[in-house]
Amino acid sequence: MYDILKIALVQSNLVWENPEQNRINFRNTIEAITDPVDLIILPEMFTSGFTMNADPVAENMTGKTIIWLQQLAQLKQAAITGSLIIKEDHKYYNRLLFVHPDGTIDHYNKRHTFTLAGEHKVYESGAQHKIITYKGWKLKPLVCYDLRFPVWSRNTEEYDVLFYVANWPKIRIAAWDTLLKARAIENMSYCVGVNRVGLDGNGYEYSGHSAAYDALGERLDTIPEAKEAIDIITLDKEHLSTYRTKLGFLKDRDTFTLK
């Protein structure tokens, strides 16, 4: 059991539909992290950008990026997470991978595909919640558009950290900022979001705004806007236990089931 969890937020530009170059860039970035960390978070579709041209950049669960992630996780003795395009049973998924230092993998398929961009026409929607147990912490992974749907993130599993990986464009960044903070407050959990920067192949601009909040909605990070950057934050179990006991808001939550 660890009472402290150190997380590196990696806010980065992405090379459009070029997994090899993105792997090179992220390897250089990750190897440059000198402080010991427990978890490294990369953006959504970190090997390609948010593309609907899935087939040329899709991989399977034994592909180059999987092996690359396992090697890096072992090298850094830290878990690494982010989403990429996975092809499985002739279907495409926007799949978040959580690679443990020992090489084992947890995964979560994005539930809410972004219909405005036609994501639902290319990628299968996930149907399962996922709780990842890591170093005594319970982590709930979600992807980008999932942020707009609070029922899907509702803390019915007593998780400690809710985190999102994203390609959330600058034009709607106010929603990202507001909802990340709201998810932390309403779920009495840490909430972390890692977004990309730069321009994608469709001309959309991304301004980052990666962030981390504690259970009271207080900002923990100092990551700059619209720049590639790494910020290391420290999460403390005592913060959660203190305020969940003192305030008791989760005990008053509504019960419901999802179909």
Side-chain angles (χ1 to χ4, degrees), residues 86-146:
I86 294 293
K87 186 176 183 180
E88 193 170 77
D89 297 328
H90 307 290
K91 297 177 182 179
Y92 298 107
Y93 296 90
N94 184 348
R95 178 170 293 177
L96 180 143
L97 303 173
F98 188 100
V99 181
H100 296 255
D102 65 1
T104 58
I105 299 173
D106 286 297
H107 75 264
Y108 163 77
N109 294 323
K110 185 179 182 180
R111 166 69 170 182
H112 299 93
T113 49
F114 190 47
T115 55
L116 187 62
E119 188 180 11
H120 63 299
K121 298 177 181 178
V122 180
Y123 300 95
E124 291 292 313
S125 175
Q128 301 296 322
H129 286 279
K130 182 69 179 181
I131 297 294
I132 298 167
T133 301
Y134 178 60
K135 292 192 171 183
W137 290 70
K138 293 174 71 175
L139 315 177
K140 186 178 185 70
L142 295 174
V143 179
C144 202
Y145 193 42
D146 288 332

Side-chain angles (χ1 to χ4, degrees), residues 86-240:
I86 294 293
K87 186 176 183 180
E88 193 170 77
D89 297 328
H90 307 290
K91 297 177 182 179
Y92 298 107
Y93 296 90
N94 184 348
R95 178 170 293 177
L96 180 143
L97 303 173
F98 188 100
V99 181
H100 296 255
D102 65 1
T104 58
I105 299 173
D106 286 297
H107 75 264
Y108 163 77
N109 294 323
K110 185 179 182 180
R111 166 69 170 182
H112 299 93
T113 49
F114 190 47
T115 55
L116 187 62
E119 188 180 11
H120 63 299
K121 298 177 181 178
V122 180
Y123 300 95
E124 291 292 313
S125 175
Q128 301 296 322
H129 286 279
K130 182 69 179 181
I131 297 294
I132 298 167
T133 301
Y134 178 60
K135 292 192 171 183
W137 290 70
K138 293 174 71 175
L139 315 177
K140 186 178 185 70
L142 295 174
V143 179
C144 202
Y145 193 42
D146 288 332
L147 179 60
R148 287 187 177 269
F149 303 94
V151 170
W152 192 245
S153 65
R154 191 66 177 130
N155 195 358
T156 58
E157 304 102 336
E158 303 292 341
Y159 61 72
D160 306 304
V161 184
L162 174 65
F163 72 89
Y164 295 85
V165 301
N167 275 211
W168 196 288
K170 179 180 179 180
I171 193 170
R172 292 185 293 277
I173 203 66
W176 166 264
D177 294 339
T178 303
L179 295 176
L180 276 180
K181 185 173 183 177
R183 296 296 89 86
I185 294 168
E186 70 194 10
N187 292 302
M188 291 295 294
S189 76
Y190 288 107
C191 183
V192 178
V194 173
N195 192 28
R196 67 161 293 180
V197 295
L199 289 173
D200 70 13
N202 293 317
Y204 290 108
E205 184 179 1
Y206 300 84
S207 56
H209 286 231
S210 300
Y213 296 92
D214 69 16
L216 300 179
E218 296 295 329
R219 188 83 178 260
L220 302 175
D221 67 282
T222 57
I223 203 160
E225 180 179 357
K227 295 181 180 179
E228 291 190 300
I230 299 171
D231 196 23
I232 297 174
I233 59 168
T234 300
L235 310 187
D236 189 344
K237 273 279 188 71
E238 186 176 357
H239 166 79
L240 294 178

